[in-house]
Amino acid sequence: MLFGKLLPREGNFFALFNQHADYVMRAAQALIELVDNYSDPAARERHNRAIDDAEHEADAITNQVNRAIHQTFITPIDREQIHSLINALDDVADLIQDVAEALVLYDVQKLTPAMRNLAELDLRCCERLHSAIAMLDKIADASVAEAALKTCEEIDQLESDADRVLRTAMSALFREELYDVRELIKLKAIYELLETISDRCEDVANIVEGIVLENS
């Protein structure tokens, strides 16, 4: 038994990354469903629950990876890269949950087109993250490494698109004078949370890019 414990192990990190990315994408898909069906209380509750479930599953995987870092003698990539990647991914899941909770906490009654646009960009970011992370265990192949880097560039572009949507939405919010002060504060907070999801996706993409460049 002791001898077995001393044998080098790589752990199943890539599979865990893929599982986590899958839960992030599920949460982002549930967020779009929440936005699209916000006027239906039953649907709202169902999609909120789906987001919570995905976030909790993602948390469990994050904990599993962070434990495995300390228990694994040989890791397939640098330990700090593993730690940074899984925790950056978890930040995305947490922020998606934060948006859903803020909608309830702030008692937002009606969503705006800008919220839908930002949620859609967030979903597209998460879908591309899912694709990029699925390539990590194959980046020894130059064509796969190139495809992963291209996917990371697409995430960067989507984050820039989200920045533009946020700026336009904020400008309209403060110029059109359609909202009272309390409603303005609520919408501003939701817009910023939605845009921050794309920022954190870009953070993950930057980590993936570093892993690809250093290990391909």
Side-chain angles (χ1 to χ4, degrees):
M1 180 68 73
L2 179 59
F3 178 73
K5 288 183 178 180
L6 292 175
L7 286 176
R9 293 179 298 147
E10 287 196 359
N12 203 20
F13 290 104
F14 293 123
L16 292 170
F17 292 152
N18 288 334
Q19 289 174 36
H20 197 297
D22 187 58
Y23 285 122
V24 167
M25 192 170 68
R26 289 189 201 182
Q29 290 167 338
L31 180 61
I32 276 286
E33 293 294 331
L34 173 63
V35 170
D36 285 345
N37 299 279
Y38 195 73
S39 59
D40 180 346
R44 192 187 309 177
E45 181 179 351
R46 182 169 66 254
H47 297 309
N48 268 313
R49 187 165 57 249
I51 291 170
D52 285 344
D53 289 346
E55 192 277 335
H56 292 153
E57 293 291 347
D59 265 350
I61 292 173
T62 299
N63 292 335
Q64 186 176 347
V65 169
N66 284 323
R67 286 195 303 271
I69 291 172
H70 301 290
Q71 296 169 348
T72 305
F73 183 67
I74 298 174
T75 57
I77 57 176
D78 182 77
R79 292 173 192 273
E80 186 56 38
Q81 289 175 327
I82 293 172
H83 177 80
S84 296
L85 178 57
I86 198 64
N87 285 287
L89 263 176
D90 207 49
D91 287 343
V92 179
D94 290 343
L95 274 167
I96 294 171
Q97 185 184 48
D98 288 347
V99 171
E101 289 180 347
L103 290 171
V104 175
L105 179 65
Y106 299 156
D107 191 28
V108 176
Q109 296 300 310
K110 185 177 179 182
L111 305 193
T112 66
M115 290 182 188
R116 177 58 168 79
N117 291 341
L118 287 166
E120 173 65 25
L121 288 167
D122 290 338
L123 174 58
R124 290 166 63 188
C125 281
C126 291
E127 288 172 341
R128 281 158 179 77
L129 277 185
H130 189 274
S131 297
I133 287 168
M135 300 180 207
L136 281 177
D137 62 343
K138 308 175 190 71
I139 56 175
D141 183 323
S143 63
V144 175
E146 183 178 352
L149 293 175
K150 184 176 185 300
T151 304
C152 290
E153 290 174 5
E154 292 171 356
I155 294 167
D156 291 342
Q157 182 57 55
L158 288 167
E159 190 278 332
S160 296
D161 293 343
D163 276 345
R164 285 192 288 274
V165 172
L166 176 65
R167 287 195 296 270
T168 300
M170 287 295 199
S171 177
L173 195 60
F174 285 94
R175 287 173 184 238
E176 294 177 3
E177 299 182 354
L178 297 177
Y179 307 101
D180 63 31
V181 173
R182 286 181 301 176
E183 196 67 16
L184 186 148
I185 292 170
K186 292 178 187 180
L187 295 181
K188 178 178 181 292
I190 300 297
Y191 288 158
E192 289 175 340
L193 278 172
L194 283 164
E195 196 279 330
T196 304
I197 294 171
S198 67
D199 289 342
R200 296 292 82 79
C201 287
E202 185 181 36
D203 291 344
V204 177
N206 289 338
I207 295 168
V208 169
E209 187 176 66
I211 291 171
V212 173
L213 292 173
E214 291 180 26
N215 295 277
S216 60

